[in-house]
Structure formats: C-alpha cells, structure tokens
Amino acid sequence: MKNLWNDADAEKMVADYAKKGVGRDLALRVYTTRLLGGEPRLVLHGGGNTSCKTRATDLVGDEWDVLCVKGSGWDMAVIEPQGLPAVKMGALLKARGLESLSDEDMVALQRSNLIDPASPNPSVETLLHAFLPHKFVDHTHSTAILAIVDQEDSKALVATVFGDKMGYVPYIKPGFDLAKVAAEVFDADRGVEGLILDKHGIFTFGDDARQAYDRMIHYVTVAEDFVAKNGKPQTAKAALPAKLAKPSDIAPTLRGAVAVARGEGRFDRMISDFRTSDAIVDFINSAKIADLAGQGVSTPDLSIRIKTGPMAVPAPDADKLGDYKAVIRGHVEAFSKDYRAYFETNDALDDVKRIMLDPMPRLTLVPGLGMFGHGRTLKDAKIASDVGEMWIEAVRGAETIGNFQPLSKADLFPLEYWSLEQAKLASNKPKPLTGQVVLVTGGAGAIGAATAKLFAANGAHAVIVDLDPAKAAEAAKAAGNNSIGVGADITSPAEMRAAFDKAIAVYGGVDILVSNAGAAWEGRIGELDDALLRRSFELNFFAHQSAAQNAVRIMLEQGTGGVLLFNTSKQAVNPGPKFGAYGLPKAATLFLSRQYALDYGAHGIRSNAVNADRIRSGLLTDAMIASRSGARGVSEKEYMSGNLLGQEVTADDVAQAFLHQALAERTTADVTTVDGGNIAAALR
Ligand SMILES: [Zn+2]
C-alpha cells in the first residue's frame, strides 16, 4: 500500500488550521485521518477511527489533558477538527480501574467529560485509544489484515506474518472489555508497534502523527505481501448458462423480493444499486460463492450495513427467466428464514429487550453479472455495494492463503443488536415515500417539476423524463434526493422503454408513474387536419398508454403493487371551443386510467387521474394568458382566478393532488379535480 504522507501537505494543513486557532497536534491528526479515510481498503463508511492526546482549554480558561478522538457520524476522508471531540483524559484513565462498565455508562462517562458538550459522541473505541500511552493512535479495518485474521488458526498466522512486532488481541466486542484487554496485551510487551485484533482489524501507534501512520501503511503492506507470496491456486469456477440474462432482466424481480411485506398489500420497498467489474464477477463466479457468503461479514461492524452477510443466488439463464422469479423468491425466503432463526436463537440467550430488524438481505451476489446493494435509499444501497466490494477484497485474500473464517454469527449478534446502534436506527424515521421510485413524464414542465420535487421531498427518488435532457437534469437537481433526469421523446416506444430501463439501472425499478407530458393544438374539429389530430393522440393518449404499459410490466415483476397517475386535464370532461385536438385524446386517457384500475387492481396496482385547469405552464404561457384575458376583457389576475374560489390554481396545487393520490392506499379509479371550482367541469 502506498504511503501518502507528504511533508509539504502536512505543513500546509498545520498552517491553514493555525489561522483558525487549531493546534499542530490536532491539525496533523486531521491530516493523517483523511489519508486513512480516503483509502477504502483501510476504512469504509465508519469502519475505523483515530485519536491524539493533546491539551485543550475549556470556557473558563482551564487547560486539560485531552484525547481528541473520532466522533460518531464523521467520515474520516473529509474529517474536520470538530469531528475529533476532546474528552478529558483523567476520567478516561481512571475508568481502567473499574471491574465492568456498561455500554450506556461508557457513553455517559465519555459525554460528561467532553470539553464541548455539543460534540458528537466519541467513538465506541475511545477507551482503547485512551488506555494506550502513545500520543497518536490509528485504527482501521484493513482488508489485507482481515485476510490474515479471518482464518481458523489466526493467532499462529499473525505470529508468522508479524513476528513480535505486533500484539495479538483475541476477539472481544468493542467497548470497555476490549479496551482493557488490548491495554493488557500492550503492557505485556511494550515494544510492539501496534495490535492486531482478531476478526476485526489493526491498531498502530506512535509518538507523532507520521510514525503512527507510517506503521499502519507498513504493517498493512506486510499483510498484503504475505497474501501475494503465499497464494494457492484459484478455486474452481461455477458453470454459467450459455446465455446469461442482463441485470435489468432480473433487477425488478429481485427488488420486489427484498421488499418488506407489511401486510394487506403494503410494503417497505428498497432501492437496488447494481455494481460490476471484472474483479467482482471473477470472484462471484467461484464455485464456493454460496458457502463464502454464508460464512458472514469480514469484520463485525459491516453487519450494520449488510446484516449477517451477502446472499448468493444462481446465475440467471436468459432462456429460463420465467423460472428465475421463483428461484430469487426462494433464496430471499431462505435468507430471511435463517435471519429470523439467528435473531430468535441469540435473542433468547438473555433478558435484553430487542426489536428484530427486517430480515431482508442488503447485498445480493449474482454469478456472471455482479452484485446488487439494497437499501431504503439510494445512498444506503450504494453503501451496501461499497461494503460488498471490500468484503470481496478481504474474502479473496483470506481464500488465497487459507479458508475464510470470520467471526461466528453468535458473536456477531451482540454487535448488530448493540443497544447504541438500535437507538440510532429507531430515531431514523422514514418519509411516506422512502424506498419508492417515481417516474414523471414532462418532468421539466411546471406541473412535472413541481410534482417531482414534492415526491422527492416525501422520500421518493424521481426519474424526470423530458424531451429536453438539459432541462430534465436541471429539474432533477432542483428536486433533490438523488433524482435523475432523462432526455426522451416519449412518442417513440423505444425511447420510452429506454427511460424505464434507466430507472431500473439506477434504482432497480419503478413504483409510481406520473404520466404528465402533454401538448395542446387548436382548431375547429370539422376542419382539423387529420395528421394534427393523430399527432395529438400520439402524445396525449398513446404516450400515456406506452408509459403505463412499461410501468405495469415492471410493477408486475416486482410484485409489490404500484400507482399510475395521469394528468388528464379539464378538457377530458368539459371541452373548450376549438380544443378538440387536445380534449379528445385527454378524454381517452381518462378512460385509460379507469381501464388500468379495472385490469390491474387485483395486483395492487392503483390508477388515478387529475383534472387540472388553467395552470400557468408550458401549455398556458404568460403570452397566452395575456391574449386570452384580453380577448375576454378581463385582467390577467381575473382570468387566472376565474373559478368558484376566486383564486389562481398553481402547479404546486396539482402536485399536491398527485401526492394525495399516491398516498391514499385504498383509492383507485379516482379523478381529482384541481381547478379552483368549475361547475361545468365537475364530475358527476
Ligand atoms: Zn474497529
């Protein structure tokens, strides 16, 4: 592993932070923490921490010996000084004399000795850092180290690889007990330059930031070299079907299978992040992959991200996709059954009250294709994939020099169900549409953009489809929540299909369609050019049908229901003069909505329509408003608020109606009117 220490960079950071009142020790602590955090083979999504022992001044001017240690919630790659809260050393050191200390009391002790009470919680490994005498202490979950410690006879192997330079600490759950034992191992041989923690990771320490960092890189390199020099021949590969299915062929089925059924047609859905590379596929194609996945996580804190470990499924045969759905569902069922048994067996061992987390896998390995990370948000799904890549790194190394044997699941359980983690999860309340994907056509227009934004604010990821790709991207940015923009002419069936394929590629599927795109053409019906009427039908009817067909195809594969929402306009029920070219296909689309409600209700797919009128948009531009209000001899304001309520109706009002229809779980075949009251357009 490359040593990235650079004197000039280090001194620049010291100088920059000095201007902000941050001392040299803490500035260098930030510098090497970022170096470690930027390397996924060392530290990934919270798996690691660092500290330095220095002095700090409190509000009344008293100076204290403190431990600045990584705070929870901070990413080491981008850490700032405030991400390393200062804890008074005296109290921490005194704790070593205690017989025992519960996790809750440990957190209380750490928090009550913070110099700044607004700091994040200091790391759970704070006491371990404190009990070691060195000024700088670094800790990572290096994949090369895990290849050595995730073995049956890891203690002997650690001695072979590192000699007497590193102390060996048997596996103990992080917290007070681990801190005490690690300190005893160090005291037994104070000449060691670090500690290897069985089934967990590595600590190195030094008198200054550079020494601790140099030692980390050095011993990780020693481990890497050992794996490289002592490799055995690769294990056999599994046989693959002659014709493999594509990831998009199986993604919706898989996404549906891992959704958590809440009963009565309700689901907590997940987002799937597909990831592949030659290295990933080469590893997953191992004939042993199901056994390896069943062994579990490579270091215990990965259980927070991928539970008891990945789920491996068979390679999908493109010619037998019909049968593959049952194969996937069978594997997910087996995984969740094992997970329940794991929970029940281990939960029964004591009187602690725990709530079982959902039993669904967070990482699926598919030979021939790659892997899918699953999570309630795209961010969580991507984290699961990141973790999956590092799991592969560690397991590949372990299998190269021996047999991957990580921490047992019984020992993993107390960590996954650690009270502090459970409390964190309980405070993380999902939004009404968390885990759902909405595809909005005409998504860059006034109504489409407002709807996408409102749905995203309620937790959905939005796929914003628009003729103009730049405007679609802009609307996606405005919507937020990792939404995407897709350029497509939706009157082309191929481009419509491609837009849905994109939704599958990025999120794994689609749950809500807002079929909104439309355009108005004018002319008296008796004199209308046939080509113009047909053109209007292409966009204002057939594109809705094509969008709904694509959505329903995916929803049926997912098997978790869904919602189709159509923008049908007031024209569908109350024609305006010379507006037949617009009203006729809109009337057909209103009927289309009802037909879908009828034909797919049994599959939990709902279908609703919104009748909106007189909304400032691409269909009703400011120029048109000026011309029409002028023609009627009323002011623009009077024209726009010419309804029973006497108020202008906006795109946001239409978005609210779509959201309401999406959330009303027992409402289908509904038409909601958003026009401020127009009695001639009122539905019977
Ligand atoms: Zn750790």
Side-chain angles (χ1 to χ4, degrees), residues 6 38 70 90 110 151 155 190 204 295-296 301 332 414 425 469 487 535 538 548 570 572 614 633:
N6 177 298
K70 189 194 159 268
Q110 291 169 187
Q151 301 284 345
K155 187 174 180 180
R190 296 176 73 95
T204 55
Q295 290 281 324
D301 85 332
V332 172
L425 292 169
R535 194 174 157 209
E538 283 298 334
K570 157 256 183 193
R614 216 168 278 186

Side-chain angles (χ1 to χ4, degrees), residues 57-399:
T57 309
D58 66 16
L59 285 173
V60 291
D62 287 344
E63 242 193 80
W64 300 84
D65 282 329
V66 294
L67 178 77
C68 289
V69 62
K70 189 194 159 268
S72 105
W74 278 84
D75 178 347
M76 283 170 64
V78 292
I79 203 156
E80 293 289 341
Q82 60 268 37
L84 291 148
V87 195
K88 294 173 192 165
M89 272 297 284
L92 297 179
L93 287 177
K94 208 168 170 185
R96 198 176 165 186
L98 297 173
E99 270 304 303
S100 66
L101 185 65
S102 73
D103 292 333
E104 286 75 10
D105 287 347
M106 179 180 78
V107 171
L109 173 77
Q110 291 169 187
R111 282 214 71 82
S112 61
N113 283 284
L114 285 166
I115 293 289
D116 175 0
S119 301
N121 270 341
S123 159
V124 299
E125 277 149 351
T126 293
L127 291 177
L128 204 167
H129 285 263
F131 294 170
L132 294 166
H134 309 79
K135 193 169 173 69
F136 284 80
V137 177
D138 294 8
H139 168 51
T140 74
H141 296 168
S142 149
T143 53
I145 298 293
L146 291 172
I148 310 262
V149 295
D150 284 347
Q151 301 284 345
E152 187 181 0
D153 199 5
S154 49
K155 187 174 180 180
L157 194 57
V158 167
T160 306
V161 178
F162 302 105
D164 56 7
K165 292 287 196 182
M166 298 293 278
Y168 172 87
V169 183
Y171 180 78
I172 300 168
K173 184 170 84 79
F176 177 71
D177 294 341
L178 173 62
K180 271 188 91 156
V181 171
E184 282 159 18
V185 170
F186 174 75
D187 284 342
D189 179 2
R190 296 176 73 95
V192 296
E193 296 180 347
L195 300 172
I196 301 290
L197 274 58
D198 195 26
K199 317 292 188 207
H200 175 164
I202 174 174
F203 276 79
T204 55
F205 24 73
D207 300 331
D208 56 47
R210 177 158 190 180
Q211 190 178 44
Y213 173 77
D214 282 351
R215 286 175 173 172
M216 177 63 71
I217 302 303
H218 171 72
Y219 288 108
V220 167
T221 306
V222 167
E224 285 175 341
D225 290 348
F226 181 84
V227 171
K229 282 186 198 123
N230 293 278
K232 62 184 185 199
Q234 285 276 298
T235 53
K237 301 288 181 209
L240 296 177
K243 199 175 157 209
L244 274 169
K246 294 194 296 288
S248 58
D249 294 334
I250 65 164
T253 298
L254 178 59
R255 176 168 180 256
V258 301
V260 183
R262 291 284 177 221
E264 298 175 338
R266 296 180 171 95
F267 298 90
D268 285 347
R269 296 167 175 93
M270 292 210 236
I271 302 301
S272 293
D273 171 60
F274 179 69
R275 193 161 309 177
T276 192
S277 70
D278 289 347
I280 290 171
V281 173
D282 180 69
F283 180 80
I284 293 175
N285 287 355
S286 160
K288 283 177 74 178
I289 193 63
D291 290 343
L292 295 174
Q295 290 281 324
V297 291
S298 49
T299 181
D301 85 332
L302 296 194
S303 66
I304 310 296
R305 305 296 187 179
I306 60 167
K307 310 185 80 76
T308 49
M311 171 179 79
V313 298
D317 188 331
D319 295 326
K320 292 181 187 157
L321 268 177
D323 305 334
Y324 195 67
K325 201 166 179 170
V327 172
I328 291 254
R329 291 198 176 271
H331 275 77
V332 172
E333 231 163 79
F335 184 96
S336 61
K337 199 172 150 225
D338 286 352
Y339 188 85
R340 277 174 214 282
Y342 151 83
F343 177 82
E344 280 159 17
T345 310
N346 292 296
D347 183 50
L349 298 178
D350 58 30
D351 294 333
V352 178
K353 203 169 154 350
R354 303 179 181 91
I355 300 164
M356 193 184 83
L357 302 168
D358 77 71
M360 292 301 172
R362 291 298 190 275
L363 185 69
T364 301
L365 311 178
V366 191
L369 300 187
M371 59 188 186
F372 289 90
H374 311 293
R376 293 278 279 144
T377 62
L378 182 66
K379 186 180 166 209
D380 285 348
K382 282 181 183 292
I383 288 175
S385 300
D386 290 345
V387 162
E389 286 197 62
M390 289 308 116
W391 178 84
I392 288 175
E393 279 273 333
V395 181
R396 185 195 289 120
E399 283 289 300

